[in-house]
Amino acid sequence: MTKESYSQRQQILMRRLIRLHTKPIYLALQSQMKSAAALIRQVGVRDISGEHSPINTEIEGAIINLYEDAAKLAKKNYMSVKRFGPATDFINKVLNYLKQFILNKAVAPISNTTKDIINKIINDAIQQGWGVEKTAKYMETAPITKVRARMIIRTESVRATNFTQMMAADDEVYQMEKTWIAIEDNRTRPTHSHIGVDGE
């Protein structure tokens, strides 16, 4: 497979995952903001970081669903030799690995970013002298946008598809060679660890 065909497949896969998962992840992010708004209505405009859990169970479920679809698409698109038994067995292997790291490497950072946004809104509200209802309403309509949901999908789907391909290569009968392929767009860092190692 050439670099160009690989990049094309990755772009197609990414578009499918964005189409399928933007809304669920966006709604999961919004649910945390709505929880914060409800807490503000209950306790007033003050620091709620100690009372508001950074882990959001809706985010966890949304990310697991994304991982599952990413693994299925990666298996379909990149595994030509069927050496893994039923597809469900292979997908379960991928998910079991990814779930070991989901809270620490995916859900917690995502939720902590949301928590930082919540704390910034509260600090701004205190400085501006907003009342409880104004702060809560702003919290409910805060800029947790679909752009952020798409960014999460890109990051986590790359993690899932890369691991799926690595697992496939590990079980292959042939000796495999791994080559770093950088997607050269405005989101890829132009450093020695990203675009700088393209082709190595």
Side-chain angles (χ1 to χ4, degrees), residues 20-36:
L20 289 170
H21 293 279
T22 296
K23 186 174 180 180
I25 289 177
Y26 174 77
L27 292 174
L29 292 170
Q30 282 296 97
S31 75
Q32 193 167 31
M33 301 302 287
K34 288 179 180 178
S35 295

Side-chain angles (χ1 to χ4, degrees), residues 36-102:
L39 190 58
I40 286 168
R41 287 187 174 104
Q42 183 181 3
V43 301
V45 181
R46 59 186 176 86
D47 183 5
I48 60 172
S49 58
E51 302 167 66
H52 192 69
S53 171
I55 302 301
N56 183 312
T57 55
E58 288 185 43
I59 286 287
E60 182 178 352
I63 296 294
I64 288 172
N65 290 339
L66 169 63
Y67 281 168
E68 184 171 6
D69 283 348
K72 285 177 182 174
L73 286 170
K75 181 181 188 299
K76 179 180 175 183
N77 281 284
Y78 297 105
M79 293 169 60
S80 57
V81 181
K82 297 181 180 178
R83 297 175 41 80
F84 305 96
T88 53
D89 292 349
F90 183 81
I91 299 303
N92 286 335
K93 281 184 184 180
V94 174
L95 286 177
N96 286 338
Y97 172 82
L98 291 168
K99 283 179 184 178
Q100 293 175 38
F101 301 95
I102 190 169

